[in-house]
Amino acid sequence: MQTPPLLTDRSALIANRCRASDNFLVDIAREETLDRLSLVNRTFTKPLIIGPAPEIIPNAKHIEDSDTLDVSERDHDLALHFMALHWANDPVGQIIQSARALKPDGLFQAVFLGGQTLNELRTSLAQAESEVTGGLSPRIAPMGEIRDLGALLQRASLALPVADNITIRTSYKDAYHLMHDLRRFGEANALNARLRRPTRRTVFQRCAEIYEKNFAEDGKIIATFEFLFLAGWAPSADQPKPLRPGSATSRLADALKTTEKPLRD
């Protein structure tokens, strides 16, 4: 079987992260993650953090989000995959490896950028490059959609799967300032199939024009960042189990105090 091409150039990704100088996206992800963890009635004694995360949870083990994770099976009660799955060559494999690192009834959580992120820039760049050069080159990583994420958790055999999202809309003077900030966030283009020679200046000029024409409000362009959140539990005999179909002992209509109306044939 032929090995599929790599999505991400890992050396370029690491270089981008090392050059990062602004924690805007990381701070949002951290705050939202801690807020979700605060709702869990559990004290985690051996947490694991995967990805380019700063100190989030005290005394947590911190590892890189490499294709093969440096983890031992059933060693942690919390595995947090932080701001890295959108660059993973194998997102399902990352979740499965994280799940294997969990003790029974351990919690897996992930936060990463979703498919609505930078949709305005993606559209503007694609149109500009097509007009100027007659072709397209990969510039923004393909990111997952929330409707598909529950299936990823189930494929990793995680119980009680939950997927949700938040969307942040930011404003910039122009597309150049946005692309400059992406480099500061460590989220510049690290795709393995990216263009390896300088892009024509006219492509970016045309992109800025298209962006301002189609995605501007009150004299500034709008940029969207979607954060996706996953949560699931390592299987355990102590977890609640769904009842088998047909085992109910009371009618829903009685609980709702309403009259049941049979469907027509």
Side-chain angles (χ1 to χ4, degrees):
M1 181 178 292
Q2 190 174 20
T3 303
L6 294 178
L7 171 70
T8 301
D9 179 348
R10 181 111 187 126
S11 60
L13 178 62
I14 292 173
N16 289 344
R17 289 173 174 175
C18 289
R19 287 192 293 264
S21 60
D22 192 307
N23 292 330
F24 172 69
L25 299 179
V26 168
D27 288 344
I28 294 173
R30 181 200 295 114
E31 181 179 346
E32 291 290 334
T33 297
L34 292 177
D35 183 56
R36 285 162 172 75
L37 285 175
S38 70
L39 301 177
V40 179
N41 187 22
R42 181 78 61 87
T43 299
F44 298 105
T45 59
K46 199 171 183 184
L48 170 70
I49 299 177
I50 304 158
E55 186 66 29
I56 299 176
I57 303 171
N59 303 317
K61 180 181 179 180
H62 188 182
I63 64 172
E64 293 186 1
D65 53 308
S66 52
D67 289 342
T68 302
L69 299 181
D70 181 19
V71 294
S72 301
E73 290 193 19
R74 298 192 171 199
D75 197 31
H76 299 275
D77 53 7
L78 170 66
L80 171 59
H81 211 297
F82 189 86
M83 291 297 286
L85 273 180
H86 55 285
W87 285 114
N89 287 309
D90 180 11
V92 176
Q94 290 283 300
I95 297 174
I96 290 174
Q97 291 180 77
S98 301
R100 288 175 178 168
L102 291 172
K103 301 176 181 179
D105 206 32
L107 175 63
F108 169 78
Q109 280 210 336
V111 54
F112 54 105
L113 295 177
Q116 296 305 307
T117 298
L118 299 175
N119 66 84
E120 305 92 348
L121 180 60
R122 191 191 310 269
T123 300
S124 301
L125 273 172
Q127 182 178 338
E129 189 169 23
S130 179
E131 290 180 6
V132 174
T133 70
L136 293 175
S137 58
R139 295 185 180 276
I140 299 176
M143 302 174 191
E145 299 290 343
I146 190 170
R147 62 178 177 269
D148 303 322
L149 297 180
L152 298 186
L153 294 170
Q154 291 174 334
R155 288 179 64 182
S157 300
L158 290 165
L160 310 174
V162 175
D164 70 305
N165 70 331
I166 63 168
T167 300
I168 304 295
R169 299 179 80 234
T170 59
S171 60
Y172 286 89
K173 178 181 177 180
D174 53 38
Y176 296 104
H177 283 76
L178 169 59
M179 289 184 279
H180 175 72
D181 261 13
L182 292 178
R183 289 191 290 272
R184 294 174 61 213
F185 298 156
E187 294 290 341
N189 189 356
L191 292 172
N192 194 55
R194 70 190 184 280
L195 194 66
R196 300 301 177 109
R197 62 179 185 274
T199 299
R200 297 185 197 176
R201 181 179 299 180
T202 49
V203 171
F204 293 123
Q205 291 173 338
R206 181 60 181 139
C207 170
E209 294 169 357
I210 294 170
Y211 206 133
E212 183 175 1
K213 178 180 178 181
N214 295 296
F215 305 106
E217 293 180 6
D218 300 325
K220 293 187 176 182
I221 64 167
I222 302 301
T224 299
F225 294 94
E226 181 186 27
F227 294 81
L228 301 181
F229 301 88
L230 301 181
W233 296 84
S236 169
D238 299 329
Q239 289 170 349
K241 302 292 191 299
L243 297 174
R244 62 180 177 81
S247 63
T249 58
S250 59
R251 298 166 64 245
L252 179 60
D254 294 338
L256 298 176
K257 298 180 180 180
T258 187
T259 302
E260 184 176 6
K261 297 180 180 180
L263 296 175
R264 296 179 181 179
D265 293 335

